[in-house]
């Protein structure tokens, strides 16, 4: 769902995202989750983190659950209107969230009128990834609460995201937190019985005598 977006009007940063004056991370206690906005120096680490998180999921899903290439991921960092948040514990990346407040451009699949007709002002959650080793320790909930906070301070009414239907763990997480299905497309497939273009192998016939007629022949026809 990554598309080019227009940057929304600036608003005050939520307290959870504040940094020190020199853009360095303030000291934090061990085992404390801290969130900050992504920096260019984080791009390689975050990309490796996303590959780790979605490695098994992407083997099972029709659509990639992360950007298709590192180049596209870097391009997203340069685009306007996208929030990219890094969640860390003692300097280790344990979560990543990416969201946008607007969808624009001709290459997106989102219909803004769907939300307008329902008086919905969505915050589009493009990525929500937690480290496998930290699942069950409150990282996912903290990330979700951060996005809910961003939505409230920006005047959004809903979080909207896409998840693969066979990603059972993710679906269980979202449904438990009152996410519900919108009017979304479902990938359908029909099996077609096909035939190979080339004929199958055929058993060789026994070599016949020179005077023996070929199969289906009774010898030369008599002239009338």
């Amino acid at each position: 769902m990554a598309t080019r977006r227009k940057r929304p009007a600036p608003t005050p940063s939520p307290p959870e995202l504040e940094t020190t004056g020199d853009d360095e991370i303030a000291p934090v206690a061990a085992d404390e989750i801290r969130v900050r906005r992504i920096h260019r120096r984080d791009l390689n680490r975050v990309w490796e983190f996303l590959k780790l998180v979605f490695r098994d999921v992407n083997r099972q899903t029709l659509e990639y659950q992360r950007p298709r290439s590192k180049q596209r991921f870097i391009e997203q960092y340069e685009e306007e209107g996208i929030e990219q948040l890094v969640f860390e514990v003692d300097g280790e990346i344990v979560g990543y969230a990416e969201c946008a407040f607007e969808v624009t451009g001709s290459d997106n699949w989102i219909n803004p009128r769907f939300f307008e007709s329902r008086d919905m002002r969505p915050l589009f959650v493009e990525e929500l990834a937690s480290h496998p080793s930290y699942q069950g320790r409150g990282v996912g909930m903290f990330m979700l609460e951060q996005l809910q906070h961003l939505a409230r301070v920006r005047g959004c009414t809903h979080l909207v995201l896409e998840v693969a239907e066979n990603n059972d763990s993710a679906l269980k997480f979202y449904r438990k937190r009152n996410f519900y299905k919108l009017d979304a497309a479902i990938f359908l497939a029909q099996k077609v019985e096909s035939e190979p273009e080339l004929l199958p192998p055929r058993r060789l016939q026994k070599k016949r005598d020179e005077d023996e007629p070929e199969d289906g022949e009774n010898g030369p026809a008599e002239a009338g």
Side-chain angles (χ1 to χ4, degrees), residues 95-220:
Y96 171 78
E98 184 178 309
C99 62
F101 299 90
E102 239 180 281
V103 177
T104 60
S106 59
D107 60 344
N108 71 76
W109 290 34
I110 300 296
N111 177 16
R113 295 179 182 175
F114 177 90
F115 303 103
E116 293 170 2
S117 64
R118 292 160 175 79
D119 197 27
M120 297 171 64
R121 295 181 297 281
L123 169 63
F124 296 100
V125 182
E126 310 243 355
E127 205 78 85
L128 193 64
S130 61
H131 197 293
S133 299
Y134 283 83
Q135 291 178 4
R137 300 187 63 185
V139 175
M141 195 62 216
F142 181 63
M143 291 194 294
L144 188 59
E145 288 177 1
Q146 174 62 71
L147 294 178
Q148 291 168 341
H149 180 69
L150 284 178
R152 285 193 294 269
V153 299
R154 296 289 182 91
C156 297
T157 61
H158 291 76
L159 298 184
V160 175
L161 53 84
E162 180 184 5
V163 60
E165 194 165 300
N166 61 347
N167 190 346
D168 296 330
S169 60
L171 285 172
K172 182 179 179 180
F173 175 84
Y174 292 125
R175 286 170 176 163
K176 186 177 180 181
R177 288 155 181 83
N178 300 321
F179 280 79
Y180 58 92
K181 188 174 182 179
L182 294 176
D183 181 22
I186 298 177
F187 287 98
L188 301 177
Q190 180 191 61
K191 183 174 177 57
V192 176
E193 297 296 337
S194 59
E195 296 183 0
E197 295 183 358
L198 305 180
L199 293 175
R202 181 175 297 176
R203 185 179 296 276
L204 286 173
Q205 298 179 5
K206 293 182 179 180
K207 187 174 181 180
R208 63 183 179 82
D209 296 334
E210 293 183 2
D211 296 334
E212 182 182 348
E214 295 183 7
D215 293 344
E217 295 183 359
N218 294 318

Side-chain angles (χ1 to χ4, degrees), residues 24-170:
E24 293 297 329
I25 304 172
V28 294
D31 295 330
E32 182 177 81
I33 308 172
R34 185 171 179 93
V35 56
R36 60 181 176 82
R37 288 185 170 89
I38 195 173
H39 189 278
R40 182 177 294 278
R41 62 174 174 263
D42 300 313
L43 292 177
N44 288 334
R45 292 176 62 219
V46 172
W47 174 251
E48 293 302 320
F49 169 78
L50 289 175
K51 288 199 301 183
L52 169 67
V53 172
F54 292 114
R55 179 181 55 199
D56 295 333
V57 175
N58 282 328
R59 292 172 180 169
Q60 304 296 329
T61 56
L62 177 62
E63 290 184 299
Y64 281 114
Q65 303 301 297
R66 56 175 173 79
R68 295 184 180 182
S69 66
K70 184 177 181 179
Q71 180 61 35
R72 179 56 187 150
F73 175 68
I74 294 174
E75 289 172 357
Q76 285 178 293
Y77 175 79
E78 304 291 347
E79 290 183 1
E80 296 183 347
I82 296 180
E83 287 276 12
Q84 294 173 288
L85 307 177
V86 177
F87 297 78
E88 294 177 313
V89 173
D90 198 23
E92 179 184 5
I93 297 177
V94 298
Y96 171 78
E98 184 178 309
C99 62
F101 299 90
E102 239 180 281
V103 177
T104 60
S106 59
D107 60 344
N108 71 76
W109 290 34
I110 300 296
N111 177 16
R113 295 179 182 175
F114 177 90
F115 303 103
E116 293 170 2
S117 64
R118 292 160 175 79
D119 197 27
M120 297 171 64
R121 295 181 297 281
L123 169 63
F124 296 100
V125 182
E126 310 243 355
E127 205 78 85
L128 193 64
S130 61
H131 197 293
S133 299
Y134 283 83
Q135 291 178 4
R137 300 187 63 185
V139 175
M141 195 62 216
F142 181 63
M143 291 194 294
L144 188 59
E145 288 177 1
Q146 174 62 71
L147 294 178
Q148 291 168 341
H149 180 69
L150 284 178
R152 285 193 294 269
V153 299
R154 296 289 182 91
C156 297
T157 61
H158 291 76
L159 298 184
V160 175
L161 53 84
E162 180 184 5
V163 60
E165 194 165 300
N166 61 347
N167 190 346
D168 296 330
S169 60

